[in-house]
């Protein structure tokens, strides 16, 4: 067909959206990509100034504008004028995230920040634009609707059942949003359309031919003109008008220039009659979803979860409830870093090593900021606690009696005493060394010894006493963590001078204490020990306890513990709720009081991986190592509060992948895997800590948990939902549909839940009888051009030696067997306890200060209801909760002094007048739909 053919029955129209997909950091680190961004936007803004017909969509993320304006602040007015005019579309996200490797709260803050920044620039793109995420989480429709958006736009992860350009994407709670599918090429469906002016008409017909089957009603088709880090043609508007004047009037394809906002403004918002797609989008049917990013550079994922918890569950809630100063700027900086690193080429680890280094540094800063705020709040509260006592902070919204380890003074048995007379038992864990120094020094060097003293501090502790013994030529100090003794170093110097009268007269080589003979200098610390204790702390509250010598008095008031005490003997741990029995091969069996049993848990399996940072690829001639060469077991805690064994298993793992032979090397590395198996009083789950020094390359290490019963489905928690997944994944594109899935707080299947500390890749294996969790997946290439389980490269074939993750790897889990269905098994509360330990701080007030009473903060109660956020906002407390249950729930919010509670949307805007239900006795109860995300403003 020639460009002038006029036999078409109607004129196709392509809505051309010029854009760039901007990876903030990827195969180049951030600053090098930013340099390219400056050049691109300089050029685009210049063209838009010169030609009012030009349009541009800046990839749905406001961070690109922030990065540009930090270098070009003089361009702010020019840029905002284009946004206000509707010619430049920015936002609504702050950054294009990976939805499975950050928390649900991080997603909300990302969207809220992006909308706010975009509005400050003149207006936000009113579309949940998600062009390149590696799949989409289940609750995103509810999140987008909760922020006031009525459209979504996606590419990867859409299932084969979708046969139209638009579908109704429905969250677990039933919220549906009209969703545009970027069919036939994703965000580059019209890339290259204007590269050759002589071929525009033919290429336009080709693009229309690919898109028309997805839109058979003849309506205008969305054609994405752009790609990664590209700018539109300089004469785009002229080329488009030239094409239309020559071809569209003759029945050819008509082209119309628009921003994404202009395209969606012409689309309806209702979902009636559309095909419904429920929950997460993780299908391989239409595009690669690159699932291997879940497990590559595992320490990044571990650090990310740790930083999110530090900010979300320790710093922000405790500051909102207990701090009378302002921590807002610290929290803003922490959130800025958390949002930035959630980018889909950042926390994923699928970039160059330099990018991973920068991401790790920003994650560490976020955690440090969170811990700084926690300590700032705690420091203020600890100023009312005597220095020989501890302040305990509970980061969870339910009262807890929890095991905590404390550093206390004294030797032998102790118990802990609270202000109300409650007594908590303690179990010795370790003793601190008492002798810090015993040196013999020449008398002339005594001034050097005294220079170790800074004020009253010596060796990191404070001086509690000193003496000079002339007869024995002895200088003796005693130190403690805290001292109230007045101390003056001049008194020590005078005592040394008096000890040898006539010897010291100043001058070179002559000092107080004389010039002849040696002195013995001894520094002793007060007796100290580390103890484990069961302590009760109110919901999101605080308490203070002091260690008192001796066992718990028989006349002490009844206190909670040790309920279900632990015993550890002959390779068996039991607490009355669980029995754990170690096997000869280093695995263990678990049996609950209700009769739920599993055996062979904790098996470690090492296999080869010839893939890259995006996709796992097993060698054709794989070598699986799952049997240890030797096993050593030793008891490390015997109860009654905590009992534990350490199991050392030695393996010979192949040194690396054999890429030439499609297998693994013959040479091996001796690797010791140490697993701590711990049971605590009153806990219904086993704690596991697995550590090993990785010295092998190109492999995958997994921990296997046989299930009490065969499972057809798994249930993975993450991003405000618990998602059910089967034994297989849907394929159809050029990527192996591997059924490895992400989970954040826990994964449950077949009567066992594994509690997780960070986003973890898991798979149901052995026909649903075992759960395999990836501990480490080292690899040496960002992408491989030839990949056995992926047809096309995912990027450049760059070396990533640091992604081999050499060195020590430590990861912790909890294992909770349960009867019946997962949501009736106490999994949520166990995960809360496992992931959010009590925080302990030393008091700083004088020892005579009375212990302060315990105090309750915010209490959140409801079956399956999980806290997401507590923060101060506009003088009120903003609280966000999620009903993570397939059944309706009622949440009870209790807060001392509560007088009003108002429902809000995800951006904190009230959605109804007055109170959702009556506030009585400082509490309010509100019904929630299954899987509903609910936000409240609480007035005190």
């Amino acid at each position: 067909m020639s460009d002038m053919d006029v036999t078409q029955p109607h004129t196709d129209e392509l809505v051309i959206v010029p854009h760039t997909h901007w990876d903030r950091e990827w195969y180049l680190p951030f600053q090098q990509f930013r340099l390219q961004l400056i050049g691109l936007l300089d050029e685009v803004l210049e063209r838009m100034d010169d030609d009012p017909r030009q349009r541009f969509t800046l990839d749905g993320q406001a961070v690109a504008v922030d990065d540009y304006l930090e270098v070009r602040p003089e361009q702010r007015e020019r840029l905002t004028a284009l946004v206000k005019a509707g010619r430049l579309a920015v936002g609504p996200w702050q950054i294009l995230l990976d939805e499975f490797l950050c928390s649900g709260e991080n997603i909300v803050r990302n969207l809220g920040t992006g909308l706010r920044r975009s509005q400050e620039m003149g207006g936000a793109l009113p579309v949940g634009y998600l062009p390149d995420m590696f799949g989409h989480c289940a609750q995103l429709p509810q999140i987008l609707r909760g922020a006031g958006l009525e459209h979504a736009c996606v590419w990867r992860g859409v299932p084969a059942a979708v046969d139209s350009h638009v579908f109704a994407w429905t969250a677990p709670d039933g919220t549906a949003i009209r969703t545009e599918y970027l069919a036939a090429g994703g965000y580059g469906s019209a890339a290259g359309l204007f590269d050759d002016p002589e071929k525009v008409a033919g290429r336009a017909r080709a693009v229309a031919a690919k898109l028309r089957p997805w839109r058979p009603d003849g309506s205008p088709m969305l054609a994405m003109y752009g790609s990664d880090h590209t700018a539109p043609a300089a004469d785009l508007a002229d080329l488009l008008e030239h094409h239309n004047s020559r071809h569209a009037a003759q029945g050819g394809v008509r082209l119309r220039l628009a921003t994404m906002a202009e395209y969606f403004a012409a689309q309806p918002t209702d979902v009636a009659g559309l095909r419904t797609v429920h929950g997460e989008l993780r299908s391989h049917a239409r595009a690669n979803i690159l699932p291997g990013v879940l497990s590559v550079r595992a320490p990044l994922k571990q650090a990310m979860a740790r930083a999110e918890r530090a900010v979300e569950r320790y710093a922000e809630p405790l500051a909102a409830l207990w701090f009378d100063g302002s921590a807002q700027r610290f929290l803003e900086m922490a959130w800025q870093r958390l949002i930035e690193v959630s980018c889909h080429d950042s926390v994923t680890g699928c970039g160059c090593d330099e990018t991973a280094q920068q991401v790790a540094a920003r994650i560490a800063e976020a955690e440090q900021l969170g811990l700084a705020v926690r300590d700032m709040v705690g420091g203020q509260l600890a100023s009312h606690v005597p220095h020989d006592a501890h302040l305990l902070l509970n980061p969870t919204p339910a009262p807890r009696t929890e095991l905590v380890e404390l550093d206390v003074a004294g030797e032998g048995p102790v118990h802990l005493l609270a202000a109300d007379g409650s007594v908590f038992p303690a179990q010795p864990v370790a003793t601190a060394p008492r002798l810090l120094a015993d040196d013999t020094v020449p008398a002339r060097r005594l001034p050097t010894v005294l220079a170790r003293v800074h004020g009253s501090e010596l060796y990191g502790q404070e001086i509690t006493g000193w003496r000079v013994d002339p007869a024995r030529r002895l200088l003796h100090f005693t130190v403690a963590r805290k001292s109230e003794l007045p101390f003056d170093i001049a008194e020590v110097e005078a005592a040394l001078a008096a000890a040898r009268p006539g010897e010291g007269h100043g001058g070179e080589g002559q000092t107080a204490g004389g010039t002849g003979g040696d002195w013995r200098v001894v520094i002793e610390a007060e007796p100290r020990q580390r103890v484990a204790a069961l302590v009760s702390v109110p919901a999101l509250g605080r308490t203070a306890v002091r260690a008192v010598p001796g066992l718990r008095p028989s006349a002490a008031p009844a206190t909670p513990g040790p309920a279900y005490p632990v015993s550890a003997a002959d390779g068996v741990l039991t607490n009355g709720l669980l029995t754990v029995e170690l096997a000869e091969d280093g695995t263990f069996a678990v049996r609950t009081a209700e009769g739920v049993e599993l055996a062979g848990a904790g098996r470690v399996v090492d296999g080869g991986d010839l893939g890259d940072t995006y996709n796992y690829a097993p060698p054709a001639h794989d070598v699986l190592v799952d049997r240890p060469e030797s096993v050593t077991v030793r008891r490390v805690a015997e109860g009654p509060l905590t009992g534990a064994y350490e199991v050392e298993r030695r393996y010979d793992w192949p040194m690396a992948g054999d890429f030439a032979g499609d297998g693994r090397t013959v040479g091996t590395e001796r690797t010791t895997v140490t697993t701590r198996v711990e049971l605590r009083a009153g806990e219904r789950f086993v704690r596991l800590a697995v550590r090993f020094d990785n010295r092998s390359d190109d492999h995958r290490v997994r921990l296997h948990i046989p299930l009490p019963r065969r499972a057809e489905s798994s249930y993975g928690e993450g991003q405000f939902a618990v998602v059910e997944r089967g034994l297989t994944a849907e394929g159809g594109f050029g990527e192996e549909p591997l059924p490895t899935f992400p989970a954040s707080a826990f994964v449950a299947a077949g009567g066992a839940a594994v509690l997780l500390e960070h986003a973890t890749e898991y798979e149901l294996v052995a026909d649903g009888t075992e759960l395999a969790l990836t501990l480490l997946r080292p690899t040496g290439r960002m992408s491989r051009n030839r990949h056995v389980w992926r047809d096309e490269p995912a990027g450049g074939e760059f070396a990533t030696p640091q992604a081999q993750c050499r060195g020590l790897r430590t990861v912790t889990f909890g294992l909770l067997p349960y009867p019946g269905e997962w949501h009736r098994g106490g999994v949520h509360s166990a995960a809360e306890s496992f992931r959010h330990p009590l925080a302990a701080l030393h008091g700083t007030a004088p020892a005579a200060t009375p212990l302060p009473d315990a105090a309750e903060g915010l209490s959140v109660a409801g079956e399956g209801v999980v806290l997401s956020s507590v923060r101060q906002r506009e003088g009120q407390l903003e609280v966000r909760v999620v009903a993570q249950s397939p059944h309706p729930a009622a949440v009870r919010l209790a807060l001392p002094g509560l007088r009003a509670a108002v429902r809000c949307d995800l951006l904190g805007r009230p959605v109804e007048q007055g109170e959702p239900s009556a506030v009585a006795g400082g509490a309010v109860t509100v019904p929630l739909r299954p899987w509903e995300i609910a936000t409240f403003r609480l007035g005190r």
Side-chain angles (χ1 to χ4, degrees):
M1 180 183 291
S2 70
D3 286 353
M4 298 299 292
D5 195 310
V6 294
T7 61
Q8 290 177 276
H10 63 269
T11 300
D12 280 327
E13 182 176 41
L14 296 179
V15 180
I16 305 297
V17 175
H19 76 100
T20 186
H21 174 55
W22 198 263
D23 298 293
R24 192 172 189 252
E25 51 197 353
W26 181 21
Y27 59 82
L28 293 176
F30 163 60
Q31 294 297 353
Q32 288 180 264
F33 266 141
R34 172 150 74 171
L35 186 63
Q36 296 181 24
L37 174 69
I38 301 305
L40 182 146
L41 283 182
D42 280 348
E43 184 178 343
V44 167
L45 295 181
E46 189 69 32
R47 294 175 188 170
M48 295 183 81
D49 272 354
D50 292 343
D51 187 347
R53 297 170 297 174
Q54 295 278 11
R55 299 288 188 272
F56 195 65
T57 296
L58 196 51
D59 205 29
Q61 51 183 338
V63 74
V65 178
D66 288 338
D67 291 342
Y68 177 75
L69 292 179
E70 188 176 13
V71 178
R72 296 274 196 266
E74 71 279 3
Q75 298 288 359
R76 185 177 303 276
E77 290 187 10
R78 184 186 196 186
L79 190 147
T80 56
L82 290 169
V83 176
K84 291 176 181 177
R87 296 173 55 207
L88 177 64
V90 298
W93 299 98
Q94 179 64 14
I95 203 163
L96 291 180
L97 68 162
D98 185 282
E99 298 164 32
F100 295 99
L101 290 174
C102 64
S103 69
E105 189 61 31
N106 197 332
I107 297 175
V108 172
R109 302 300 180 92
N110 184 343
L111 185 55
T113 301
L115 287 167
R116 175 179 56 80
R117 287 292 299 120
S118 301
Q119 292 295 343
E120 291 169 355
M121 288 181 254
L125 172 65
V127 179
Y129 182 50
L130 304 157
D132 197 31
M133 285 68 173
F134 305 153
H136 303 283
C137 66
Q139 287 280 34
L140 208 58
Q142 188 180 176
I143 293 171
L144 295 174
R145 280 285 184 152
L149 301 180
E150 297 182 312
H151 295 276
C153 184
V154 301
W155 173 35
R156 302 187 193 267
V158 173
V162 171
D163 55 4
S164 168
H165 75 100
V166 65
F167 61 94
W169 185 14
T170 305
D173 76 316
T175 300
I177 191 167
R178 189 178 178 91
T179 302
E180 183 86 15
Y181 168 45
L182 294 174
Y187 59 82
S189 59
L193 176 59
F194 298 96
D195 288 356
D196 186 337
E198 299 303 318
K199 297 181 179 179
V200 172
R203 290 179 176 176
R205 286 196 303 273
V207 171
K210 289 190 300 181
L211 293 174
R212 177 53 63 206
W214 297 92
R215 202 160 193 156
D217 61 357
S219 59
M221 296 168 280
L222 175 63
M224 302 299 292
Y225 170 54
S227 188
D228 296 353
H229 312 110
T230 59
D235 53 350
L236 170 62
D238 289 337
L239 289 172
L240 187 144
E241 287 195 0
H242 175 72
H243 165 84
N244 284 342
S245 64
R246 289 187 60 197
H247 304 286
Q250 307 300 321
V253 178
R254 179 176 298 279
L255 307 180
R256 174 161 55 92
L257 208 57
T259 64
M260 182 154 286
E262 289 173 323
Y263 169 80
F264 277 97
Q267 305 304 309
T269 59
D270 67 278
V271 296
L274 298 180
R275 180 182 294 276
T276 298
V277 176
H278 292 278
E280 69 180 5
L281 306 180
R282 286 193 63 85
S283 170
H284 305 257
R286 306 271 185 210
N288 294 338
I289 63 168
L290 311 171
V293 299
L294 299 173
S295 53
V296 75
R297 300 190 199 264
L300 269 187
K301 282 66 172 179
Q302 196 170 27
M304 180 69 168
R306 194 169 57 239
E308 286 181 326
R309 287 196 298 272
V311 177
E312 294 178 16
R313 297 302 299 274
Y314 288 88
E316 204 167 49
L318 294 174
L321 290 164
W322 298 112
F323 194 51
D324 60 13
S326 175
Q328 188 57 34
R329 186 58 190 137
F330 287 97
L331 293 170
E332 287 172 355
M333 291 189 293
W335 273 113
Q336 177 186 353
R337 285 154 180 78
L338 285 176
I339 291 168
E340 285 179 356
V341 296
S342 72
C343 185
H344 72 286
D345 287 314
S346 297
V347 70
T348 47
C350 56
C352 63
D353 285 346
E354 293 85 352
T355 291
Q357 290 168 357
Q358 289 184 323
V359 171
R362 290 199 294 270
I363 291 174
E365 282 189 18
E367 182 184 14
Q368 291 157 12
L369 285 162
L371 295 178
V373 171
R374 181 205 67 181
D375 292 345
M376 184 164 61
V377 176
Q380 186 179 85
L381 297 173
S383 67
H384 303 286
V385 176
H387 66 73
D388 60 347
H390 285 82
L391 170 72
L392 300 180
L393 300 172
N394 178 7
T396 61
R400 294 164 68 181
T401 299
E402 196 80 14
L403 195 75
V404 62
E405 288 194 5
L406 302 176
D407 172 44
V408 302
E411 294 177 305
V414 298
H415 59 275
L416 302 184
L417 185 67
D420 64 357
S422 296
V423 178
F424 305 102
Q427 173 186 330
V429 174
T431 57
R434 292 199 59 191
L435 185 63
L436 305 184
D438 187 349
D439 303 323
T440 300
V441 300
R444 61 183 173 78
R445 291 194 57 205
L446 285 173
T448 304
V449 172
L450 295 183
R452 301 172 187 170
V453 178
H454 302 90
S456 62
E457 180 269 327
L458 177 59
Y459 283 4
Q461 301 191 52
E462 296 185 6
I463 295 171
T464 59
W466 61 273
R467 62 189 171 93
V468 172
D469 186 339
R472 297 168 59 194
R473 301 179 74 79
L474 171 69
L475 172 60
H476 186 279
F477 289 98
T478 57
V479 296
R481 193 194 66 81
K482 190 74 174 177
S483 174
E484 296 181 11
L485 174 75
F487 176 78
D488 187 345
I489 192 67
E491 295 179 7
V492 182
E493 294 170 339
L496 286 171
R500 301 291 291 173
E503 285 191 6
H505 304 287
E508 184 72 23
Q510 292 185 322
T511 63
T515 59
D518 293 333
W519 278 70
R520 183 182 175 201
V521 180
V522 177
I523 305 172
E524 282 190 282
E526 71 170 355
R528 297 197 72 80
Q529 61 180 321
R530 194 154 188 86
V531 300
L534 278 173
V535 182
S536 297
V537 188
L540 270 170
R542 54 184 171 84
T543 196
V545 292
R546 174 186 274 127
V548 179
L551 296 172
R552 170 181 168 180
S554 59
T559 54
Y564 301 104
V566 179
S567 67
D570 302 322
V572 177
L573 296 164
T574 183
N575 66 358
L577 301 169
L578 289 179
T579 298
V580 182
E581 185 172 355
L582 298 176
E584 291 184 357
D585 64 355
T587 64
F588 59 92
V590 184
R591 183 176 63 256
T592 73
E594 300 89 352
V596 180
E597 296 186 37
L598 59 90
R603 183 166 60 99
V604 174
V605 180
D606 174 70
D609 182 1
L610 302 184
D612 51 30
T613 65
Y614 292 98
N615 295 80
Y616 163 74
H621 310 292
D622 203 356
V623 176
L624 295 178
V625 181
D626 65 349
R627 293 174 181 261
E629 297 295 322
S630 65
V631 180
T632 303
V633 178
R634 62 180 178 273
R635 186 175 65 182
V636 292
E638 60 184 21
L641 300 181
T642 178
Y645 287 92
E646 280 198 346
V647 182
E648 281 191 359
R649 287 173 284 181
R650 293 177 177 84
Y651 300 87
D652 289 325
W653 288 351
M655 295 176 62
D658 178 2
F659 288 86
D662 201 1
R664 304 185 76 183
T665 60
V666 175
T668 60
E669 286 280 359
R670 176 56 57 92
T671 305
T672 299
V673 178
T674 302
T675 304
R676 178 185 171 97
V677 183
E678 180 184 3
L679 194 58
R680 296 182 178 181
E683 287 191 342
R684 296 181 177 273
F685 57 90
V686 187
R687 293 174 179 262
L688 307 176
V690 183
R691 68 178 185 272
F692 57 91
D693 183 5
N694 178 54
R695 290 175 287 180
S696 297
D697 293 342
D698 316 312
H699 64 130
R700 182 178 69 173
V701 187
R702 300 211 287 188
L703 184 74
H704 284 243
I705 307 291
L707 302 175
R709 58 182 183 271
R710 182 181 179 276
E712 294 282 354
S713 298
S714 64
Y715 299 87
E717 192 279 343
Q719 298 78 41
F720 300 143
V722 180
V723 179
E724 181 178 5
R725 295 148 177 156
L727 299 175
T728 60
E730 183 180 56
F733 193 65
E735 180 179 58
E736 180 71 16
L738 191 65
T740 53
F741 300 108
S744 294
F746 64 81
V747 54
V754 180
L755 314 179
L756 306 171
E757 64 172 3
H758 64 275
T760 299
E761 175 189 270
Y762 76 87
E763 182 181 2
L764 277 176
V765 297
D767 194 31
T769 62
E770 283 192 5
L771 192 62
L773 301 109
T774 304
L775 301 179
L776 196 68
R777 194 178 71 83
T779 186
R781 286 287 185 273
M782 188 186 90
S783 175
R784 294 191 185 275
N785 293 335
R786 298 184 64 82
H787 193 295
V788 65
W789 275 1
R790 191 186 63 235
D791 284 348
E792 61 178 339
E797 199 170 46
F798 294 95
T800 55
Q802 291 179 21
Q804 296 285 12
C805 294
R806 292 294 194 99
L808 187 65
R809 170 72 171 143
T810 303
V811 60
T812 61
F813 300 98
L815 176 57
L816 173 71
Y818 59 86
E821 299 177 284
W822 72 267
H823 55 276
R824 304 295 192 195
V827 180
H828 281 304
S829 59
E832 278 282 290
S833 175
F834 175 74
R835 290 164 61 85
H836 305 109
L838 301 177
L841 294 87
H842 285 284
T844 58
T849 304
L851 284 174
D853 292 331
E856 182 176 15
L858 172 71
S859 172
V860 178
E863 184 178 6
V865 177
V866 177
L867 179 69
S868 177
S869 170
V870 180
R871 61 170 166 167
Q872 279 286 345
R873 199 165 188 189
E874 298 175 0
Q876 292 183 306
L877 206 64
E878 184 186 272
V879 178
R880 186 159 23 256
V881 298
V882 188
Q884 287 198 5
S885 169
H887 303 293
V891 61
R892 182 180 185 272
L893 306 173
L895 182 70
L898 179 67
R899 59 175 177 78
V902 177
R903 287 289 295 265
C904 302
D905 66 9
L906 282 183
L907 302 182
R909 301 170 298 199
V911 295
E912 59 187 19
Q913 298 297 319
E915 304 169 4
S917 60
V919 175
V924 61
T925 300
V926 183
L928 299 178
R929 303 187 307 274
W931 311 109
E932 182 179 3
I933 307 167
T935 307
F936 302 90
R937 288 282 185 95
L938 305 184
R940 288 191 285 183

